[in-house]
Amino acid sequence: MQRFDEMYTAMPYEFFSKGKQVRDHYKIYDEWLARQPGDMMAKRREEAELIFRRVGITFAVYGAKDEDGSGTERLIPFDLIPRIIPAHEWASLERGLVQRVTALNRFIQDVYHGQEIIKAGLIPAEQITQNAQFRPEMVGVHVPGNVYSHISGVDIVRAPSPNGDAEYYVLEDNLRVPSGVSYMLENRKMMMRLFPQLFNAHRVAPVAHYPDLLLETLRESSTATTTEPTVVVLTPGMFNSAYFEHAFLAQQMGVELVEGKDLFVKDNFVYMRTTRGPRRVDVIYRRVDDDFLDPKVFRADSTLGCAGLMDVYRAGHVTICNAVGTGVADDKSIYPYVPKMIEFYLGEKPILNNVPTYMCRNKDDLAYTLANLKDLVVKEVHGAGGYGMLVGPAATKAEIEDFRKAVLANPSGYIAQPTLSLSSCPTFVESGIAPRHIDLRPYVLSGKTVQMVPGGLTRVALKEGSLVVNSSQGGGTKDTWVLENGVASPKPTQSQSQSN
């Protein structure tokens, strides 16, 4: 099999250095791949797909139909070539993520209490109080440890900085019900099964302990006096696109997976129905949006939540993770203010930079956006999953004009950003090995401390030239390797090779 550098001369920032040399942390992998038979990767991909189907690692595609008219469940395409990050790069990323998530939690606490950041004039009041994710019901409500986002998924991209070097940027913050961590875990298991020899040649930091860290974080959030509070995972049900992940995480943590119909409120506590009678619930890791949590407070037609849950929550007799109202901080209209939050709450300069952002609610930003739609990425502030977004350079004239009308009709509903030249990574596609654009979603857990496993979920845009990595838009995933000592090591110890 050919080496990467014989196939193409530019693999920005991930595989090649600025001098077009293979970066140190990829050298052993590159040499290993060059020794493999030409059909090896195709055979391994077939094996991976077969195993994923047996395990049931699928996601539902809303609105998509099979030939018989039924809904579709699909595998998220899994790429066999890992994304490798040296230890020093990860150390800097980790510091930046801890800083950012700490400031975001401080911001949410402030939003529902003193609103000091508004009084300081750093964020307009209407940006918060008129935000669709702001929950007046949470004003004055105390949450344990002042932690609102216990599980945060922060999307990171790497692109050229003004000085020409590669730099990590935060693309967006996911603080409501961030998904995808099950794929991070299953991707690692698959790579270890298919390529055990690679883990003998690299000191890859482990990720398998994520469920343990998650359970620890959830238990730390409990207000119950017991040493082992009862934790449940609340799912909308088997027809949700991420149901596999809900069931997977509950199983991995050894806790119950419940639906709203399994819960009830009595005497200002929440209980779940079991075959042995009612059992009090102390912590709910909810994978249900705010609007559906309590039909007495939010949507009256919801059958996904539990009536009376908010009364118990406000009384401090149950913890909901992530907290109700957390979405006010992951709205794309709030994203531009995060650097100011870091300086305001922590007195520090941001370690990770934002992507430059134009807020269409501002007259000058709107004018610039409309004049440059063909060159910008324009997003709905409440959009997700790659929907409600215009990628100007890849759009047709008709698509641009349709988006122009939408932005003009509701300027405050959109932001715009320059089209970044996202870094790319070697990827095994139908034509062979080729560069494809990637991002990274590390999962940050906030309890008594802020912690995470090294790496995260690398998402890859499988369509040539595409910048959209979302699985619902045809994207795939990769295993993410953080090397514990910064470079590969040809002679790891027995314990190191088994610790992953």
Side-chain angles (χ1 to χ4, degrees):
M1 183 171 289
Q2 288 177 293
R3 292 163 59 107
F4 296 141
D5 49 354
E6 294 172 343
M7 295 182 174
Y8 38 75
T9 59
M11 182 65 70
Y13 319 126
E14 300 300 331
F15 181 73
F16 284 119
S17 67
K18 286 180 66 177
K20 307 303 181 187
Q21 299 297 314
V22 176
R23 298 179 75 192
D24 286 346
H25 53 283
Y26 267 103
K27 284 182 178 178
I28 288 179
Y29 184 86
D30 177 37
E31 293 168 357
W32 170 84
L33 190 61
R35 298 193 298 269
Q36 306 310 307
D39 61 349
M40 182 274 296
M41 294 293 275
K43 290 181 177 179
R44 291 291 184 270
R45 182 168 62 184
E46 291 178 3
E47 185 178 347
E49 289 180 355
L50 178 62
I51 295 170
F52 278 146
R53 288 193 184 279
R54 285 175 179 170
V55 176
I57 307 175
T58 61
F59 74 104
V61 184
Y62 295 131
K65 299 290 183 182
D66 285 331
E67 292 181 0
D68 62 1
S70 63
T72 62
E73 283 200 353
R74 300 175 185 168
L75 292 176
I76 293 182
F78 169 61
D79 183 54
L80 299 175
I81 300 177
R83 189 248 186 97
I84 306 177
I85 300 174
H88 71 275
E89 286 185 8
W90 174 252
S92 177
L93 267 174
E94 186 175 37
R95 289 193 300 271
L97 290 164
V98 170
Q99 179 195 63
R100 189 176 183 96
V101 170
T102 299
L104 284 164
N105 269 306
R106 292 279 295 274
F107 168 70
I108 304 169
Q109 197 275 338
D110 186 26
V111 161
Y112 292 114
H113 292 82
Q115 298 191 341
E116 298 299 328
I117 200 166
I118 295 176
K119 296 173 184 176
L122 296 182
I123 299 181
E126 63 272 15
Q127 281 289 92
I128 294 172
T129 58
Q130 295 180 22
N131 189 299
Q133 298 300 321
F134 177 73
R135 302 297 180 192
E137 299 85 358
M138 288 297 294
V139 173
V141 176
H142 173 73
V143 301
N146 292 328
V147 176
Y148 286 76
S149 182
H150 306 81
I151 305 99
S152 307
V154 182
D155 291 346
I156 305 286
V157 296
R158 181 149 51 172
S161 63
N163 64 12
D165 292 327
E167 187 172 333
Y168 286 106
Y169 294 87
V170 174
L171 191 61
E172 63 182 52
D173 305 290
N174 301 281
L175 309 179
R176 281 175 277 180
V177 283
S179 62
V181 74
S182 60
Y183 301 106
M184 174 190 79
L185 297 170
E186 289 293 335
N187 287 352
R188 174 60 56 83
K189 288 169 61 177
M190 182 62 70
M191 288 294 287
M192 294 180 70
R193 176 171 183 159
L194 297 179
F195 307 108
Q197 66 274 41
L198 286 173
F199 290 88
N200 289 330
H202 297 80
R203 289 196 178 99
V204 183
V207 298
H209 59 296
Y210 176 85
D212 296 330
L213 293 184
L214 176 59
L215 182 59
E216 175 186 310
T217 298
L218 296 172
R219 283 177 169 170
E220 287 178 354
S221 72
S222 174
T223 59
T225 56
T226 178
T227 56
E228 291 194 8
T230 299
V231 177
V232 299
V233 178
L234 175 62
T235 176
M238 63 182 298
F239 296 108
N240 183 267
S241 62
Y243 180 75
F244 164 78
E245 177 159 295
H246 307 164
F248 174 86
L249 289 175
Q251 187 272 332
Q252 291 291 305
M253 289 190 290
V255 304
E256 294 294 332
L257 179 70
V258 301
E259 298 181 31
K261 62 187 178 183
D262 300 317
L263 303 176
F264 67 93
V265 169
K266 182 179 180 181
D267 299 329
N268 223 18
F269 288 95
V270 178
Y271 295 87
M272 66 173 163
R273 297 177 174 88
T274 76
T275 55
R276 297 183 179 182
R279 181 178 178 185
R280 179 180 161 182
V281 173
D282 302 304
V283 181
I284 299 175
Y285 174 27
R286 52 81 170 246
R287 300 300 295 261
V288 175
D289 290 337
D290 288 354
D291 285 339
F292 301 95
L293 280 175
D294 185 345
K296 291 177 62 178
V297 177
F298 302 117
R299 287 187 52 159
D301 61 343
S302 172
T303 59
L304 303 180
C306 173
L309 176 60
M310 285 298 294
D311 289 335
V312 182
Y313 184 45
R314 284 189 286 244
H317 295 163
V318 70
T319 302
I320 299 176
C321 302
N322 288 341
V324 176
T326 298
V328 71
D330 80 358
D331 186 283
K332 293 180 178 65
S333 67
I334 296 297
Y335 162 89
Y337 296 100
V338 177
K340 291 182 179 180
M341 294 178 199
I342 293 171
E343 296 191 27
F344 182 72
Y345 295 114
L346 306 181
E348 301 170 356
K349 293 291 183 182
I351 297 171
L352 295 173
N353 291 323
N354 272 18
V355 177
T357 302
Y358 303 97
M359 293 180 281
C360 295
R361 62 187 298 273
N362 297 334
K363 182 179 178 181
D364 291 345
D365 286 5
L366 174 62
Y368 179 85
T369 298
L370 293 174
N372 295 276
L373 282 175
K374 64 182 179 60
D375 301 315
L376 298 172
V377 175
V378 188
K379 304 175 183 178
E380 284 185 326
V381 297
H382 304 313
Y387 296 102
M389 180 170 72
L390 174 78
V391 181
T396 65
K397 288 184 178 180
E399 289 170 337
I400 290 174
E401 290 311 307
D402 286 344
F403 226 83
R404 183 188 307 277
K405 294 174 184 176
V407 172
L408 279 170
N410 180 28
S412 63
Y414 293 88
I415 63 167
Q417 297 170 331
T419 306
L420 297 181
S421 179
L422 301 187
S423 66
S424 55
C425 190
T427 301
F428 185 65
V429 295
E430 292 303 323
S431 58
I433 297 174
R436 291 293 186 267
H437 294 298
I438 56 173
D439 78 353
L440 174 67
R441 178 176 290 183
Y443 296 89
V444 185
L445 300 175
S446 300
K448 292 181 179 178
T449 59
V450 181
Q451 55 188 338
M452 66 202 79
V453 297
L457 180 67
T458 290
R459 301 184 299 176
V460 54
L462 294 175
K463 297 178 183 177
E464 185 175 2
S466 175
L467 299 174
V468 182
V469 300
N470 305 81
S471 57
S472 57
Q473 304 290 304
T477 66
K478 289 173 171 283
D479 192 13
T480 308
W481 293 3
V482 173
L483 301 184
E484 291 187 315
N485 62 342
V487 295
S489 173
K491 294 182 180 180
T493 66
Q494 179 80 4
S495 61
Q496 286 168 332
S497 66
Q498 292 178 348
S499 66
N500 296 293

